Amino acid sequence: MGGLAALSPAAQAADSELARNGGFEAGLDGWSCTAGSGTVVSSPVHGGTKALRATPAGNDNAKCSQTITVRPNSAYTLSGWVRGGYVYLGVTGTGTTDGYTWTQSAPDWQKLSTSFTTGANTTSVTVYTHGWYGTPAYHADDLSLHGPGGAPVEIPATPTGLTAGSPTSTSVPLSWPAVAGATSYRIYRGGTAVGTSTGTSYTATGLTPSTAYSFQVSAVNSAGESARSTAVTATTTSGGGGGGGELPARALVGYLHASFANGSGYTRMADVPDSWDVINLAFGEPTSVTSGDIRFSLCPATECPNVESPADFKAAIKAKQAAGKKVLISIGGQNGQVQLATTAARDAFVSSVSKIIDEYGLDGLDIDFEGHSLSLQNGDTDFRNPTSPVIVHLIQAVKTLKAKYGARFVLTMAPETFFVQLGYQYYGSGPWGGQDPRAGAYLPVIHALRDDLTLLHVQDYNSGSIMGLDNQYHSMGGADFHIAMTDMLLTGFPVAGNSERFFPGLRPEQVAIGLPASTQAGNGHTSPAEVNKALDCLTKKQNCGTYQTHGTWSSLRGLMTWSINWDRFNQWEFSRNFDAYNWN
């Protein structure tokens, strides 16, 4: 037999076969695989028509597991068929001695088996299979747990009382009363499942302004899924959300070295070409890492002999704004570590950033926190409900600034891939500790501010290889990297491989691709031809190469570069290519 049929609630207690979908005939139903490592294939299989294929990558050993109800003080046998090198089959949570078995090499299907006895208070165990670090993919099929069944589990009742809260232009909050016996809830929009929640609330995001939506919710446990609730409807408010709605449909964003000198040379604000739609002043920096007190001043004349006067600088900003351009203060950068660890630092941040915006008449704020500015404390594992002070205080500070300046306030962010897309594999220090606590640390900030966010332009440079949604690693320098990284932002992804914690995709008009303007500007420079290939693939589904996007993102906002100064140094190659690109 290949697949194991789903057990009915009445039979579950008496049936000696307890594993759900042990032959993977129903895909990964019932199974959870770390870091998105598992998939179901039709060849090779041991029995039936499907089998599991799981691929270790980096620090992930491709662990796929299932929690099963059992009886205390009872004997069980766990078995399964595996194929590949270094395949493990085991069980945890027995209440006695957890067991496992493994094979170093199985060129063809090989049966693994182990037995265990549950403890006096054990009512569930977790069975698993995994590979080993740095080894190829393994296969598993016909996994089985034999023994006395636990108490019968019944499908939960249909949820009632589904309520839609106050919508924004791009989101609708939903809530409902708890259902006895439910372990999670599945949310439907227009009849299509769009997310899950382990609690009794969910916020539908990425919606279109001034649009009516219909929602339902069902209750889920190991026995199955209830019928869907009565539908509720909600209409999003008008406006594009995210503020800064006056940006052109295609925008070019660049950083201007306004406060420091380097090998690219100083560029006056008045000399920035009209190609640039958003000009980020680099950088506002804190008086100390934890003060929250941000200061900005023009490059000293001793470093930048051709620097303009503050009065001329402010006049040039007004001229840019009169021409429809946006000028923002960018906080952080490589050397500007900002840790809002206290409420005092949060309040100092709001006050000092406001002072800079007001003094120079700026349009908004760019958050360019790098290095050790953002990290997640141990136990902070859900990006939807962050608890780390540096994360919570930053979100609060930006929301305060947005409320102060209103809908015209432009908010952009320029995180590194380590803080965003790496979250597909790793989030914070991980469930067992030991991981880099900065991994994915921007995700809660982006998620909490997605309705205030004008543009996210992740730095697709100075990056290590990152796993994409195809579960393959992608490296800097060519179209493929930008296609894969951008598709992740627009499609969304399970954080740290947990399908219950899905980071929803952003709207295409909220996303620009970040690149270095020249080989001197940063590692990962991409030639104009490769930049155009990436835009072709993402906006037209043409010239895609091996990576296939999950959509055609025709309203992608544009490009960001580090920096305007380096582009000038390189004879304006980057901005000229942007201006010449055919978006149609």
Side-chain angles (χ1 to χ4, degrees):
M1 293 292 291
L4 300 170
L7 300 170
S8 68
Q12 190 166 346
D15 201 322
S16 61
E17 177 52 70
L18 305 180
R20 174 182 172 186
N21 186 32
F24 301 95
E25 301 300 305
L28 291 176
D29 182 41
W31 296 92
S32 176
C33 297
T34 55
S37 56
T39 187
V40 171
V41 296
S42 56
S43 179
V45 299
H46 174 259
T49 61
K50 301 288 176 61
L52 169 70
R53 182 180 190 270
T55 308
N59 292 324
D60 177 65
N61 62 5
K63 181 179 181 180
C64 296
S65 61
Q66 178 180 143
T67 299
I68 301 175
T69 302
V70 295
R71 291 182 180 179
N73 297 319
S74 299
Y76 294 87
T77 298
L78 172 66
S79 64
W81 293 83
V82 299
R83 178 172 172 158
Y86 289 98
V87 193
Y88 290 71
L89 178 69
V91 59
T92 59
T94 63
T96 55
T97 301
D98 295 342
Y100 70 89
T101 181
W102 66 288
T103 178
Q104 180 176 344
S105 177
D108 202 352
W109 290 106
Q110 176 180 331
K111 188 174 183 178
L112 298 179
S113 182
T114 185
S115 298
F116 63 92
T117 300
T118 53
N121 299 309
T122 301
T123 58
S124 68
V125 297
T126 298
V127 300
Y128 65 85
T129 182
H130 67 71
W132 198 244
Y133 309 101
T135 62
Y138 69 89
H139 294 81
D141 200 2
D142 296 332
L143 303 183
S144 172
L145 181 66
H146 279 276
V153 177
E154 297 184 357
I155 294 175
T158 303
T160 59
L162 176 62
T163 302
S166 299
T168 69
S169 60
T170 61
S171 66
V172 174
L174 303 168
S175 61
W176 55 89
V179 175
T183 55
S184 65
Y185 300 88
R186 191 164 293 154
I187 296 85
Y188 291 83
R189 185 179 73 220
T192 301
V194 293
T196 59
S197 174
T198 55
T200 57
S201 64
Y202 178 85
T203 299
T205 58
L207 308 180
T208 302
S210 303
T211 303
Y213 291 92
S214 173
F215 298 96
Q216 294 170 286
V217 64
S218 66
V220 180
N221 64 14
S222 61
E225 179 181 4
S226 75
R228 301 174 197 174
S229 69
T230 301
V232 298
T233 59
T235 301
T236 51
T237 60
S238 60
E246 299 171 8
L247 289 182
R250 311 299 181 185
L252 181 62
V253 182
Y255 287 79
L256 184 67
H257 308 179
S259 65
F260 64 95
N262 65 11
S264 64
Y266 185 82
T267 300
R268 295 178 175 228
M269 175 64 71
D271 296 333
V272 174
D274 288 341
S275 298
W276 302 93
D277 301 294
V278 180
I279 303 167
N280 292 329
L281 304 180
F283 289 105
E285 298 183 4
T287 54
S288 70
V289 172
T290 58
S291 71
D293 185 10
I294 307 299
R295 304 295 175 89
F296 171 78
S297 59
L298 290 176
C299 183
T302 52
E303 295 181 38
C304 306
N306 59 325
V307 64
E308 66 268 60
S309 69
D312 286 345
F313 185 73
K314 293 174 184 177
I317 290 173
K318 287 185 177 180
K320 289 294 179 187
Q321 292 167 330
K325 313 302 182 183
K326 305 295 182 183
V327 184
L328 318 181
I329 180 64
S330 180
I331 307 298
Q334 182 177 351
N335 299 320
Q337 306 291 300
V338 182
Q339 297 175 0
L340 304 184
T342 64
T343 55
R346 174 199 65 192
D347 296 343
F349 183 88
V350 171
S351 175
S352 58
V353 171
S354 296
K355 188 177 296 184
I356 295 169
I357 291 173
D358 294 343
E359 179 180 353
Y360 291 91
L362 304 178
D363 296 288
L365 169 67
D366 173 68
I367 301 173
D368 187 18
F369 284 17
E370 300 181 17
H372 291 270
S373 292
L374 295 182
S375 63
L376 295 155
Q377 294 181 334
N378 289 339
D380 190 352
T381 59
D382 187 350
F383 75 92
R384 300 164 300 184
N385 299 289
T387 57
S388 303
V390 293
I391 304 288
V392 174
H393 293 153
L394 176 60
I395 293 168
Q396 293 171 344
V398 175
K399 282 189 173 291
T400 300
L401 289 166
K402 178 63 186 289
K404 175 178 180 177
Y405 291 103
R408 298 171 68 89
F409 185 76
V410 179
L411 173 64
T412 65
M413 299 182 192
E416 297 162 289
T417 56
F418 189 94
F419 295 92
V420 185
Q421 288 96 335
L422 186 67
Y424 177 51
Q425 288 184 274
Y426 311 108
Y427 187 70
S429 58
W432 304 284
Q435 295 176 188
D436 192 317
R438 299 172 298 164
Y442 248 93
L443 292 175
V445 179
I446 297 167
H447 186 66
L449 297 171
R450 63 172 59 236
D451 288 334
D452 302 307
L453 181 64
T454 310
L455 273 180
L456 176 71
H457 31 66
V458 175
Q459 301 176 31
D460 285 1
Y461 50 95
N462 296 337
S463 169
S465 297
I466 302 289
M467 179 180 285
L469 297 182
D470 57 353
N471 291 329
Q472 302 298 313
Y473 282 96
H474 300 266
S475 301
M476 300 183 300
D480 172 80
F481 190 66
H482 307 297
I483 293 166
M485 295 302 99
T486 307
D487 185 57
M488 294 180 78
L489 301 177
L490 299 171
T491 304
F493 52 87
V495 175
N498 186 344
S499 60
E500 299 291 326
R501 294 177 178 172
F502 189 87
F503 177 78
L506 295 168
R507 292 179 289 111
E509 59 269 26
Q510 287 181 294
V511 175
I513 306 172
L515 308 101
S518 68
T519 55
Q520 301 93 336
N523 294 321
H525 175 256
T526 306
S527 69
E530 289 294 301
V531 173
N532 292 349
K533 282 184 185 178
L535 293 176
D536 285 347
C537 178
L538 291 163
T539 65
K540 306 168 190 174
K541 207 123 181 158
Q542 300 172 0
N543 294 327
C544 286
T546 58
Y547 185 95
Q548 295 300 309
T549 64
H550 293 73
T552 303
W553 319 106
S554 58
S555 56
L556 183 74
R557 182 67 77 175
L559 302 180
M560 172 275 278
T561 193
W562 177 263
S563 62
I564 294 172
N565 303 61
W566 281 117
D567 193 36
R568 181 182 184 179
F569 184 87
N570 201 37
Q571 287 75 53
W572 304 112
E573 179 185 76
F574 188 90
S575 53
R576 291 181 191 276
N577 185 63
F578 177 87
D579 290 342
Y581 181 74
N582 181 9
W583 294 88
N584 299 318

